[in-house]
Amino acid sequence: MHAMQYEFTLPADYDMDVIRSRVARVGHLLDDWDGLGAKVYLLRERGVHGSPVNQYGPFYLWNTMEGMNAFLWGGAFQGPVNDFGRPRVRQWTGLAYEEGGAAGSPAAFAVRRRQPVPEGVELAAFMADPVEETERLAARDGAVLAAAAVDTHAWELVHFSLWEHDRPKAEGDVYQVLHLSAPERGALPQGRQW
């Protein structure tokens, strides 16, 4: 599994209905994308759920590098680049993935938490914690899925979870889910990724 996210931070007075309309118009285009486990179309709105910003920030869980590269270099990614400018695209190597007890429910909210990997830790022991946290999150009431991944260039962990309700039981930035494309979600490897 490979995780990826880019974000577009928008002006404080930006009409976020423009993003909602955009996703309603184009969100289905990745509903059958080869190699894509899940793309979650995410929105943070200033003043809602504690967000200090207006932001559009899709999050991806890829099954294959070929699928991700076909998205980035095959033309589909050019649409948001043309509309909003070329963003920095964060990428993380998968550590763990679990389906939640509410896996069959529609996802309404997502939580993303990023944290640094501290200097001087034993990496094997440290990486066991995000695996266990992924299991704990997936077991909580209302969890649709949970994942953890690491960027070994920046030494940053990302914890990502989807929830069926507006009271997610996870810490981090809360996003509204506008659409979920999950053509190969069932093929995402569950459990620890090594």
Side-chain angles (χ1 to χ4, degrees), residues 71-134:
F71 172 78
L72 289 170
W73 320 132
F77 181 57
Q78 194 63 47
V81 169
N82 290 345
D83 291 345
F84 301 107
R86 187 174 63 194
R88 289 181 46 226
V89 179
R90 292 187 181 101
Q91 297 182 26
W92 301 271
T93 300
L95 293 174
Y97 174 80
E98 296 289 346
E99 288 284 311
S105 301
F109 290 87
V111 178
R112 186 211 60 199
R113 180 170 53 93
R114 295 176 10 220
Q115 73 180 87
V117 176
E119 289 285 337
V121 297
E122 180 188 339
L123 292 174
F126 185 83
M127 293 305 168
D129 287 341
V131 172
E132 291 172 8
E133 182 174 349
T134 301

Side-chain angles (χ1 to χ4, degrees), residues 26-43:
V26 301
H28 72 281
L29 297 176
L30 269 70
D31 285 353
D32 62 356
W33 195 271
D34 288 340
L36 177 61
K39 175 181 180 177
V40 191
Y41 295 78
L42 299 175
L43 176 81

Side-chain angles (χ1 to χ4, degrees), residues 1-4 59 61 90-97 113-118 121 123-124 126-128 130-131 134 147-160 193-194:
M1 180 184 75
H2 197 75
M4 182 179 92
F59 194 94
L61 296 173
R90 292 187 181 101
Q91 297 182 26
W92 301 271
T93 300
L95 293 174
Y97 174 80
R113 180 170 53 93
R114 295 176 10 220
Q115 73 180 87
V117 176
V121 297
L123 292 174
F126 185 83
M127 293 305 168
V131 172
T134 301
V150 63
D151 171 353
T152 55
H153 175 75
W155 289 107
E156 175 188 72
L157 284 173
V158 65
H159 302 269
F160 183 76
Q193 306 285 307
W194 74 95

Side-chain angles (χ1 to χ4, degrees), residues 1 35-38 61-64 97 99 182-190 193:
M1 180 184 75
L36 177 61
L61 296 173
W62 293 99
N63 282 319
T64 69
Y97 174 80
E99 288 284 311
E184 296 179 13
R185 181 170 150 195
L188 286 167
Q190 294 215 38
Q193 306 285 307

